[in-house]
Amino acid sequence: MFQNEQAHFARLADAFDLTVSESQRTGNLEQFVREMDLAGVELCVVPERKNLGGENGGMFPLVSRYPGRFMVFPYIDPMDGESALEEIDRFRAVWDIRGVSAEPTFQPRPYRFDDPVAYPMYEKLQRENLVLFVSYSAKLLPVVDPDTVRQLGALLQRFPELKIVVGHGGWPWHLEVMAMAFNSPNIYIVPDMYGLTGAGSQDYIKAANTLMKGQMLFGTAYPILNIVDAAGFYETCGIKESVMPDFFYNNAAKLLKL
């Protein structure tokens, strides 16, 4: 991403009135950790993704190199069948795994959220109390399809105890995702770049202050956004002072059992 997406970083920074950070420009890991410190970010959750290549589990060295600063959610592809479940066990035998990452609509072999092929993975995560992180927005769909939000709801109905974090806030179907979260304490929402200045962004701020105050999580979608600018935005965007500890820390700490 650092090598190939510089024009994309610049376009999004302009769209959201942010800047491109030095670590975005250079891909320098030490600089990124310094930017975490500047942003006041104590722990960075890293959901891996399959569509960009690289070896699954390749981000775990971050955990060893910077103890206490990174938590990796390995990417699990239920299209791999039984080996996908074995991969979860293999990672857990070595690393402290609190959840896994999945991108049903944005991987080499896409699948529906409610595809039965994924049921064994969902069942295992629910049984073992592991979090499912899904990246979900219209930008991650090969074809914009509003039925995907119904699929996500069907998944939740079938696995009501499964804890699901919706990265990219489910935009532009964020109101429907919020409705699911209002009905279920096990849905969490990360608005990241969609909570900044675009259409519907204020919906996330209002929800963080009211209905979703226990289920909204701070995130930046780095390296898409500058982590320092994003943190600064959310500190001044209108989230109530009384809610900030939950948005920035408490909700995630409870979810991740910190």
Side-chain angles (χ1 to χ4, degrees):
M1 283 188 77
F2 292 104
Q3 294 174 352
N4 301 325
E5 299 291 332
Q6 289 299 316
H8 188 51
F9 295 161
R11 183 175 70 85
L12 289 177
D14 180 65
F16 294 120
D17 199 25
L18 303 181
T19 61
V20 176
S21 70
E22 182 179 343
S23 70
Q24 287 172 292
R25 288 191 295 270
T26 64
N28 184 285
L29 181 58
E30 298 292 339
Q31 175 61 29
F32 175 63
V33 174
R34 286 193 287 271
E35 291 168 5
M36 285 174 60
D37 292 337
L38 287 172
V41 173
E42 177 181 324
L43 176 67
C44 183
V45 175
V46 184
E48 293 191 320
R49 68 188 341 170
K50 189 171 186 176
N51 205 42
L52 296 178
E55 180 184 354
N56 195 25
M59 302 301 286
F60 278 111
L62 288 171
V63 178
S64 301
R65 185 169 175 178
Y66 301 97
R69 302 304 304 274
F70 291 94
M71 179 179 290
V72 174
F73 278 29
Y75 193 91
I76 303 298
D77 183 356
M79 298 291 283
D80 292 337
E82 187 65 28
S83 64
L85 307 185
E86 294 171 355
E87 193 165 39
I88 296 174
D89 292 333
R90 179 169 63 85
F91 285 129
R92 293 191 80 189
V94 180
W95 303 100
D96 179 15
I97 303 297
R98 308 294 173 93
V100 306
S101 169
E103 295 183 317
T105 64
F106 189 67
Q107 65 164 40
R109 294 178 295 170
Y111 60 95
R112 295 163 55 94
F113 284 101
D114 59 349
D115 191 324
V117 73
Y119 287 179
M121 179 182 73
Y122 298 149
E123 289 169 353
K124 182 177 180 64
L125 297 178
Q126 180 174 255
R127 181 175 64 253
E128 299 182 9
N129 199 26
L130 293 172
V131 177
L132 173 67
F133 183 100
V134 294
S135 296
Y136 175 45
S137 74
K139 189 169 178 56
L140 295 178
L141 296 173
V143 176
V144 174
D145 181 6
D147 184 62
T148 52
V149 73
R150 184 204 59 77
Q151 298 168 23
L152 183 60
L155 183 169
L156 179 64
Q157 186 175 39
R158 188 175 184 93
F159 302 96
E161 299 305 315
L162 176 62
K163 293 180 175 62
I164 304 172
V165 176
V166 182
H168 298 321
W171 185 90
W173 304 289
H174 53 292
L175 295 180
E176 288 87 345
V177 174
M178 289 176 190
M180 291 182 212
F182 187 50
N183 289 323
S184 169
N186 291 323
I187 288 278
Y188 294 79
I189 300 171
V190 184
D192 52 70
M193 58 188 178
Y194 294 102
L196 298 181
T197 57
S201 59
Q202 278 300 309
D203 293 332
Y204 295 107
I205 309 307
K206 292 177 182 176
N209 284 331
T210 55
L211 302 179
M212 300 292 103
K213 62 176 64 176
Q215 294 161 268
M216 197 75 77
L217 309 175
F218 168 70
T220 66
Y222 183 89
I224 296 297
L225 295 186
N226 177 332
I227 190 172
V228 177
D229 284 357
F233 173 87
Y234 279 111
E235 288 172 343
T236 59
C237 68
I239 294 177
K240 294 177 182 177
E241 193 72 29
S242 60
V243 173
M244 280 191 179
D246 295 329
F247 178 76
F248 281 108
Y249 189 90
N250 294 335
N251 294 342
K254 178 182 177 181
L255 175 67
L256 298 173
K257 300 185 286 292
L258 300 180

